[in-house]
Amino acid sequence: MKKISLKSQRKMEQDAARGKWYNLVKLERVPEFVAWLTDADHEWMGQSSDVGEVMRLHKYGTTISVLYDGRRTICGRHVMAMWYTFLCFRDNPF
């Protein structure tokens, strides 16, 4: 098993405390992620993205987005949780 360096561990802790995750959402899978979130089961509704966003959705007054700064994606805690759920159910269906 690969060891995570102390520097990487500190960076991950800082990102988590700040509430931002970098390069978590894979850019090439964003269309698939959006399709999954906007289906009849999840009911998120798409919005037009602002500058620097690759995804923007809303549901019941909550808006989520994934930013792209030209080299990495940036998302918040809600998107991080939904991304891992997406990976779990899409890549490992029951």
Side-chain angles (χ1 to χ4, degrees), residues 4-46:
I4 300 173
S5 69
L6 189 58
K7 183 179 177 181
S8 294
Q9 289 177 6
R10 287 188 187 135
K11 175 77 171 119
M12 287 187 284
E13 288 173 5
Q14 289 172 348
D15 291 346
R18 207 177 0 234
K20 292 183 180 179
W21 279 262
Y22 298 98
N23 227 12
L24 177 72
V25 177
K26 301 303 174 208
L27 194 58
E28 62 274 0
R29 294 200 67 187
V30 168
E32 186 182 357
F33 185 42
V34 170
W36 182 76
L37 288 171
T38 57
D39 68 7
D41 292 332
H42 300 97
E43 300 178 343
W44 285 89
M45 294 176 22

Side-chain angles (χ1 to χ4, degrees), residues 21-28 30 49-56 65-76:
W21 279 262
Y22 298 98
N23 227 12
L24 177 72
V25 177
K26 301 303 174 208
L27 194 58
E28 62 274 0
V30 168
S49 301
D50 287 339
V51 175
E53 291 179 337
V54 292
M55 179 189 91
R56 184 178 186 90
S65 62
V66 174
L67 304 169
Y68 182 67
D69 65 3
R71 59 187 177 103
R72 62 186 179 189
T73 58
I74 304 166
C75 68

